[in-house]
Amino acid sequence: MKQLWCEQQMVYEMEEPSLERETPAMKAGTDLHLARELAVQDIVNVEITSPEDAFAVKLINLIGMAEDFATGAACVRREIPVFGAPYGEGLFLSGIVDEIRCDAETFQLDVVEMKTRANSKTLPSTSQMATHRMQVMLYKKLFDDLVRGAVTKATIALHLRLRLDRRLGDDVLHHLGDRRACDTLGSLTDFAFARLQSLPFVARTTLEYCHQADACCFEMVAVDYDDAWLRAAYARCAGFWRGARAARGVDVEEAWKCRTCEFADTCAWRLRRIEEILSERRSACSERAGIPDRSAPDE
Ligand code: SF4
């Protein structure tokens, strides 16, 4: 959700992907996520021979989750892939849900997104939390769209340029076990979708804030899913990706974000905004002093 923090910053980072950006705090967060994943499931290496194989592994993970929840073999799964093309905006979206919990009694599904804090047991800024809220809402939307059958094989093939009739690699087929008859991406997708459509929608979305020092949760924040809000926010984001508008930097009220931004010295958006503000102030001073504004065009 970098786009919500500052779209312009996201663009600069994409333009300079070689820059090393992993801070010790980010590494500690990644390690904590991995430790939590390993606490509930094993990581298995699968040999990938094609893009279709790579997508098939996502489907295998989803099938495993759906079957484990249905049989009661597991009530928590972590690092769950989700994907889809929400709200008909013409974009394909992929994500990894930190955690999905299934209540063994009620079969209710909850999505929990963990965020780690490096320095203190305090919630992040309102702006940062807004990005977290949108992220967890989007995960529910993607998951629910899979459950309701709103994602099609054709959508996947079109956006990811995958061949549905391509035979999957031997190691992928090996990990399919007794489902080896699903030997193409198309047939495996049909199978996975059928399993997913037997699940309920996500009932609750929650943000779990953990302190990196002790790996303990210090606050759970319930997020009320608001489909109308999400649709509008997503449409605003999608406009940029479709090329309908240029990247935007932060608004004046959030200029504090620029203080810690590595692009602040050269950011065209920021420099333009500073120039606009100085120009407005010069005009206001001139007006008060009764001096004609020389920067205004001649009539
Ligand atoms: Fe965004 Fe400010 Fe950084 Fe520019 S300087 S990229 S507006 S955060």
Side-chain angles (χ1 to χ4, degrees):
M1 288 285 93
K2 282 187 174 214
Q3 190 177 2
L4 282 193
W5 179 261
C6 175
E7 203 167 73
Q8 184 64 71
Q9 188 185 65
M10 177 192 71
V11 171
Y12 287 144
E13 287 182 1
M14 286 193 297
E15 288 172 349
E16 295 183 60
S18 59
L19 287 182
E20 179 57 65
R21 292 199 172 82
E22 190 177 54
T23 62
M26 287 159 75
K27 168 131 188 12
T30 304
D31 290 348
L32 192 50
H33 275 87
L34 179 60
R36 283 170 53 111
E37 181 184 4
L38 291 174
V40 299
Q41 59 209 37
D42 294 330
I43 291 179
V44 177
N45 288 320
V46 181
E47 188 188 343
I48 300 299
T49 58
S50 66
E52 286 77 8
D53 277 1
F55 197 79
V57 170
K58 289 182 194 253
L59 297 174
I60 292 173
N61 278 318
L62 284 168
I63 293 166
M65 175 202 65
E67 292 184 344
D68 281 355
F69 286 168
T71 59
C75 55
V76 178
R77 290 296 293 261
R78 293 190 173 131
E79 305 297 311
I80 306 296
V82 284
F83 49 81
Y87 300 121
E89 289 285 350
L91 300 177
F92 194 85
L93 213 60
S94 298
I96 304 283
V97 181
D98 275 347
E99 181 173 313
I100 301 182
R101 297 178 185 172
C102 177
D103 187 302
E105 301 283 312
T106 63
F107 206 43
Q108 172 179 300
L109 295 191
D110 297 330
V111 161
V112 180
E113 190 63 18
M114 181 182 72
K115 299 293 176 192
T116 68
R117 301 286 286 158
N119 298 321
S120 64
K121 294 186 177 183
T122 55
L123 291 176
S125 66
T126 309
S127 295
Q128 218 166 355
M129 284 192 70
T131 69
H132 299 166
R133 284 178 197 279
M134 183 166 175
Q135 183 182 9
V136 77
M137 277 196 245
L138 261 179
Y139 285 164
K140 170 178 162 57
K141 170 68 179 166
L142 291 172
F143 189 91
D144 288 356
D145 277 357
L146 287 167
V147 170
R148 67 169 61 91
V151 185
T152 66
K153 282 189 299 189
T155 301
I156 296 168
L158 175 75
H159 285 275
L160 302 183
R161 299 183 186 175
L162 298 176
R163 279 181 44 198
L164 296 171
D165 60 351
R166 184 171 189 154
R167 190 174 186 277
L168 298 170
D170 288 344
D171 203 34
V172 173
L173 292 176
H174 168 73
H175 284 92
L176 278 173
D178 57 5
R179 304 174 206 105
R180 287 174 72 98
C182 303
D183 62 351
T184 63
L185 184 63
S187 56
L188 184 62
T189 307
D190 285 336
F191 186 86
F193 282 1
R195 285 287 184 271
L196 288 167
Q197 287 164 27
S198 68
L199 294 174
F201 295 141
V202 169
R204 288 183 302 199
T205 44
T206 307
L207 294 167
E208 177 182 1
Y209 288 93
C210 292
H211 194 219
Q212 288 179 356
D214 58 10
C216 289
C217 169
F218 63 86
E219 187 132 2
M220 300 287 282
V221 178
V223 175
D224 291 331
Y225 181 78
D226 183 338
D227 195 66
W229 179 88
L230 183 63
R231 178 188 289 271
Y234 185 72
R236 279 195 297 279
C237 291
F240 165 74
W241 294 106
R242 281 202 310 268
R245 61 174 178 78
R248 287 179 57 85
V250 297
D251 291 326
V252 176
E253 306 78 57
E254 298 203 314
W256 54 268
K257 291 180 180 175
C258 304
R259 286 203 291 271
T260 53
C261 175
E262 63 184 303
F263 306 104
D265 290 343
T266 53
C267 171
W269 173 275
R270 177 172 170 270
L271 297 176
R272 201 165 51 242
R273 294 296 293 136
I274 290 173
E275 187 46 48
E276 284 168 7
I277 290 166
L278 289 176
S279 170
E280 283 165 16
R281 285 185 186 161
R282 278 196 294 270
S283 298
C285 287
S286 300
E287 259 177 46
R288 278 201 296 275
I291 302 169
D293 183 358
R294 291 191 205 290
S295 65
D298 294 335
E299 292 191 5

